[in-house]
Amino acid sequence: MSKSTAPADHVGQTTTTTTTETADLAFLLRTMHANLSLFDRLQPDQLIAAVKDANRQIARLQALQLHCMAGMRRRRSDPHELACELAIALHITDTRAGAMIHAAEALAHRLPRTFRLMDQGKFDLYRAMKVTDGTSQLSDHHARMVDYLLEHRLEDKNPTQVRKATAYAATKIDPDGAMNRLSQRKAERRVILQHQSEGISRFSIDNASTDKAAAAYLRVDKIARSLKTGDEKRTLDQLRADVAIDLLLSGKGGVPEQTEVYLYVDLKTYLGLNENPAELAGHGHIPAELARHIATGPDTIVRRVITDPLTGQVIEVGKFRYRPNIDVEEFVRVRDRECRQPGCPRPAHNCLTEPTGPDSADADSTLSYCLRHRRLKNRADWSYEVMQDGKLIVTTPTGETAESAPPPLHDPQPTPEQPEEERLGA
């Protein structure tokens, strides 16, 4: 390890070469599992040195991963298909996989010097993606010029500094294209909803024009400050958030517009007899109190959902039977909750339903798919097999497999013990 004494038998020696750094890190990895108290004996400078060495090795491994992704991309004509394939293999979202593929392509073909910094362990993936994002609208020629200009200016920069340095270099290299890039970025504006935990989400607008974004913030801030009276207990940040949401929902901070979500809450929780968490489709579990607040709203429509007590699976929705002749789509969406592609979080009420068997009225063989994965399942090199119990098994072109099944609404009840069975210890 550099700038520090190595642990254990190497105490008192300063090492500087990559070979020694790797050896020291390997020593720590071996020792860690055998004796965790080692980290209590190391000095702070040794711990920092180990953290830095680990970061260098992580950057090298990330570079290796991106090299492999770039190689896969050369063999796949459809980047969206490859993103779905990697999402299954790495247990990440399609969006994250797509971003990594884009970065791998850019680094391999347009930014070789930045890629070399990763190979050397001097630059990690998070900072490298600031460069790939900042040069995405440049021509290949201009991107390589930016890469050359930044080669010796990135290693000691944090992500924000890397982003700013890349933006400056891109404008300097291609000043005439700056306005075109601005127009292109504005054309890619979008609203992002990112669900987090415990009933909390992030809602943002990406690639908005700076003047409009600043004006919108000033309007929200002005209203929030006008509400900050002596009796108001909310902070300015809380008021700004509440004002922004109210303006979007009603246009004037009044009653929210009606919207459709699927909320799953058991009867006892709904009645306040227990505090079991509920589930909001596309988001995950939310606290019981929030679920009751949503379920008892003035415009809320409550539907009865009956489950099998042994499995927790949905067997009836309102007036519909398990094998309904009509309204199969609604039953399937309520049962599936989300797109049935393994790992896809898109809510089922925003998905399409598609029968996999000859009987279009058979709810067992009908599944929910978002538009992207509905197209993917019809490709010849992807295998989608629905089992008799409703489980879906997906096999990618490289043989990776993943499964999905309708999640139970409650924990399955254990099968009652047969009277004639002898229990252990009886």
Side-chain angles (χ1 to χ4, degrees):
M1 293 181 292
S2 59
K3 300 181 181 180
S4 172
T5 54
D9 296 337
H10 300 283
V11 174
Q13 300 178 4
T14 301
T15 57
T16 57
T17 65
T18 300
T19 302
T20 307
E21 288 175 355
T22 305
D24 289 341
L25 188 60
F27 168 80
L28 283 175
L29 287 172
R30 290 194 306 270
T31 308
M32 178 178 66
H33 299 288
N35 183 11
L36 289 176
S37 65
L38 165 72
F39 296 98
D40 295 326
R41 299 199 302 270
L42 293 178
Q43 297 300 314
D45 61 331
Q46 293 176 307
L47 293 171
I48 287 294
V51 168
K52 292 173 64 177
D53 286 349
N55 199 56
R56 281 188 281 269
Q57 299 306 321
I58 289 170
R60 292 187 179 108
L61 290 173
Q62 289 174 331
L64 172 61
Q65 194 175 50
L66 293 184
H67 280 296
C68 294
M69 289 184 180
M72 285 289 292
R73 178 66 182 95
R74 290 191 290 270
R75 294 164 173 80
R76 292 283 190 273
S77 60
D78 186 349
H80 298 299
E81 177 192 359
L82 179 57
C84 294
E85 189 171 359
L86 288 174
I88 287 177
L90 300 179
H91 308 290
I92 57 179
T93 64
D94 292 359
T95 301
R96 176 62 180 171
M100 293 178 69
I101 293 167
H102 171 76
E105 283 190 281
L107 290 164
H109 301 299
R110 292 156 50 93
L111 304 165
R113 288 175 171 80
T114 303
F115 211 178
R116 189 180 305 122
L117 291 176
M118 290 189 67
D119 288 328
Q120 295 169 350
K122 299 177 180 179
F123 209 56
D124 59 79
L125 175 59
Y126 184 64
R127 289 185 292 164
M129 291 181 75
K130 299 297 182 183
V131 182
T132 60
D133 290 344
T135 57
S136 62
Q137 305 300 327
L138 295 177
S139 67
D140 288 352
H141 173 67
H142 285 145
R144 293 189 183 99
M145 292 180 68
V146 170
D147 188 43
Y148 175 80
L149 189 64
L150 295 178
E151 180 178 8
H152 301 295
R153 305 181 183 184
L154 295 179
E155 181 180 350
D156 60 345
K157 298 291 192 300
N158 65 38
T160 299
Q161 293 170 328
V162 170
R163 177 183 60 79
K164 291 180 178 179
T166 303
Y168 173 79
T171 303
K172 183 176 181 179
I173 293 296
D174 184 23
D176 294 335
M179 288 305 298
N180 291 333
R181 292 193 295 275
L182 174 61
S183 299
Q184 179 64 33
R185 291 289 298 275
K186 289 171 64 177
E188 296 173 350
R189 59 191 180 275
R190 58 178 179 165
V191 174
I192 300 173
L193 176 63
Q194 181 182 3
H195 290 306
Q196 298 172 337
S197 60
E198 298 176 341
I200 299 298
S201 298
R202 180 188 297 275
F203 180 81
S204 60
I205 301 175
D206 199 13
N207 292 331
S209 173
T210 298
D211 56 338
K212 291 187 176 181
Y217 179 85
L218 288 175
R219 181 185 178 190
V220 168
D221 181 66
K222 183 178 180 180
I223 297 174
R225 290 180 183 277
S226 70
L227 297 174
K228 187 61 175 172
T229 62
D231 296 331
E232 178 58 64
K233 296 182 179 180
R234 289 175 292 178
T235 66
L236 270 177
D237 281 337
Q238 292 169 340
L239 283 167
R240 291 188 193 102
D242 294 344
V243 167
I245 290 294
D246 288 345
L247 285 172
L248 286 169
L249 291 175
S250 67
K252 54 186 177 182
V255 179
E257 296 290 332
Q258 186 174 14
T259 187
E260 182 183 56
V261 297
Y262 282 7
L263 175 69
Y264 299 82
V265 54
D266 65 65
L267 180 60
K268 290 185 177 180
T269 301
Y270 176 71
L271 296 175
L273 300 178
N274 65 34
E275 295 298 315
N276 291 339
E279 183 173 350
L280 191 64
H283 173 91
H285 289 94
I286 61 174
E289 183 176 352
L290 176 58
R292 284 192 290 268
H293 174 75
I294 297 173
T296 56
D299 297 321
T300 298
I301 299 174
V302 178
R303 299 284 302 279
R304 180 188 66 187
V305 178
I306 298 177
T307 61
D308 184 328
L310 297 181
T311 65
Q313 295 292 338
V314 176
I315 59 175
E316 183 180 324
V317 178
K319 61 185 171 65
F320 306 126
R321 295 190 299 270
Y322 184 46
R323 295 183 182 275
N325 293 321
I326 58 174
D327 294 305
V328 171
E329 292 186 1
E330 185 173 9
F331 175 90
V332 170
R333 290 191 181 103
V334 171
R335 180 200 65 197
D336 289 348
R337 285 185 257 181
E338 296 174 354
C339 171
R340 287 293 300 278
Q341 175 79 7
C344 181
R346 185 170 294 276
H349 56 271
N350 294 332
C351 293
L352 303 170
T353 60
E354 182 170 300
T356 57
D359 185 2
S360 61
D362 181 9
D364 283 343
S365 61
T366 302
L367 305 181
S368 305
Y369 293 106
C370 68
L371 189 59
R372 168 184 287 187
H373 294 125
R374 187 170 182 264
R375 288 196 297 261
L376 184 67
K377 69 176 288 294
N378 293 322
R379 295 185 64 99
D381 49 353
W382 284 72
S383 171
Y384 283 71
E385 183 181 4
V386 181
M387 313 304 288
Q388 288 185 347
D389 59 359
K391 179 187 296 181
L392 171 66
I393 300 178
V394 178
T395 305
T396 71
T398 52
E400 296 284 341
T401 62
E403 299 178 355
S404 80
L409 284 184
H410 58 74
D411 292 334
Q413 299 295 320
T415 303
E417 200 171 41
Q418 298 297 326
E420 62 274 12
E421 290 183 341
E422 183 178 351
R423 291 181 297 175
L424 290 176

